[in-house]
Every structure is written in C-alpha cells, then in structure tokens.
Amino acid sequence: QVQLAESGGGLVQAGGSLRLSCAASGRTFSSYAMGWFRQAPGKEREFVAGISSGGGRTSYADSVKGRFTISRDNAAKTVFLQMNSVKPEDTATYYCAARVGYYADYASAYNYWGQGTQVTVSS
C-alpha cells in the first residue's frame, strides 16, 4: 500500500505558474505508476498527466500539453506537477493517484488516491 498527500495548491493569476507536489509513503513507491487528475465542482474527474514507475514515459491530456509537466523523484518518494501558463479553466481540485504497473489515463485504473489540493486561477 502507498499513502499519498498533495500540496502546493493555492491562488494564482492566469498566465502564472504553480508547482504541485505529491508526497508518498511506503517502501514500494518506485513500483507504482503515478497520475494527476483534477475535478471541478459538478464535473467528472479528468486525467491530467501520467508517469511510468521509473519516470521514463509520460502522458498528458490535450488540454494541458505544452503547459504542464509531470515528474518524479523516486528517492524522495515525490511526484510533481509543474503548471505553467495556467488558465482559469485549470481551476479544480487536483489529486495524485497510484497504480501498480503501467500508467493509465482514466481514474478507475488507479488504486490509491490522495486527498487533493485546490488550485484556483484568477483572471
């Protein structure tokens, strides 16, 4: 089992940058593929980015390609989401998630979830 805790959310102006972190506990963190998802009120939880267990492969939703970057530091047991050129439509609660094996772009594939961190982008 792995436990996840997101941090780094807050209020940021459109066009600005924000860096989210997901700290993990557990000895087998490096065995998990990781993903970032987000959910706005009244909307479905959507895939944002995914990264393989070793960090060698990544995937992004079309809406964030070129603006967001997912990375991980397995020694520090941490996954990051660098958010650049943020837009008001990026406003949501952001969650990190973990699964054994390959990363996936849908929420039901992930077994473990953090509590989420709120990101609000102002105009």
Side-chain angles (χ1 to χ4, degrees):
Q1 184 178 352
V2 59
Q3 295 180 332
L4 309 173
E6 304 93 337
S7 63
L11 178 65
V12 61
Q13 291 186 340
S17 297
L18 202 64
R19 184 177 173 89
L20 305 183
S21 298
C22 176
S25 63
R27 297 181 63 185
T28 59
F29 172 76
S30 61
S31 298
Y32 291 86
M34 302 293 297
W36 283 98
F37 292 78
R38 66 187 183 187
Q39 187 168 25
K43 294 188 176 182
E44 299 289 332
R45 186 169 298 188
E46 65 174 344
F47 171 78
V48 176
I51 188 167
S52 61
S53 60
R57 294 187 295 174
T58 59
S59 181
Y60 298 92
D62 289 342
S63 59
V64 306
K65 285 182 179 178
R67 299 189 298 118
F68 292 5
T69 302
I70 187 172
S71 62
R72 67 190 295 163
D73 183 343
N74 283 350
K77 297 182 179 180
T78 306
V79 179
F80 304 96
L81 185 68
Q82 179 66 45
M83 305 168 61
N84 295 330
S85 302
V86 296
K87 304 175 180 180
E89 51 262 46
D90 295 323
T91 295
T93 300
Y94 283 71
Y95 301 88
C96 66
R99 72 183 304 268
V100 176
Y102 300 110
Y103 62 80
D105 62 358
Y106 55 99
S108 61
Y110 290 81
N111 307 109
Y112 307 101
W113 294 84
Q115 291 295 109
T117 185
Q118 179 66 36
V119 172
T120 302
V121 181
S122 62
S123 301

